[in-house]
Amino acid sequence: EYPGGTLYPDGSNNNGTLTAGYDSTNRHSYYDWDSSQGTLQDYDIIIHTSVPSDFSSANDTSWYIWGLANSTSSSNNEISVTVYEGATACNTTDNLIADGDISSANTWTEVNLGSMASCTFNADDTIRIEIKLSSLSNNNVQIGGIRWDYDN
């Protein structure tokens, strides 16, 4: 479970089951979202976290997240991630499956979330990461660790 994380149904199409688990083979803790509904159902994970106190430079900053989908069809699964600094969206990765970032079913993939150049991070700032998991017809999705590489 993500420190500072909150599970959030956004108000509509939230029928399914969200569980936490551990993949001992690949050593990943994860959230698993699964819905048996015939239309995409989603659930959000909202994480409030701090920029590390030893952070000094956004040069060469890279964000990564681990994801796994039962299906590589974006009509069956979606994983979207947005990073915020205050009210500013630093980056939105609309759908890691449709974008081809997760291209093998049932295989953990570490995805680079791309540039955060629209934000200026400072040590100890609070940031928000919003993850939306979507599933239909028992095509579950899993989301695991977040890694942030930066200069210090």
Side-chain angles (χ1 to χ4, degrees), residues 14-105:
N14 305 124
N15 296 309
T17 303
L18 184 68
T19 57
Y22 181 72
D23 177 342
S24 61
T25 301
N26 295 294
R27 298 185 311 267
H28 287 288
S29 297
Y30 60 86
Y31 285 104
D32 181 284
W33 173 247
D34 189 24
S35 176
S36 62
Q37 301 293 309
T39 57
L40 276 175
Q41 303 292 308
D42 64 79
Y43 218 86
D44 298 353
I45 302 167
I46 313 296
I47 304 160
H48 288 92
T49 190
S50 295
V51 174
S53 60
D54 66 347
F55 176 84
S56 64
S57 173
N59 295 335
D60 301 322
T61 300
S62 298
W63 293 71
Y64 301 90
I65 194 162
W66 284 95
L68 178 148
N70 181 258
S71 169
T72 58
S73 168
S74 60
S75 60
N76 295 330
N77 294 127
E78 292 182 9
I79 301 171
S80 298
V81 182
T82 305
V83 178
Y84 292 89
E85 178 187 35
T88 302
C90 305
N91 182 331
T92 299
T93 306
D94 292 328
N95 187 339
L96 301 179
I97 297 163
D99 292 346
D101 295 313
I102 297 176
S103 59
S104 296

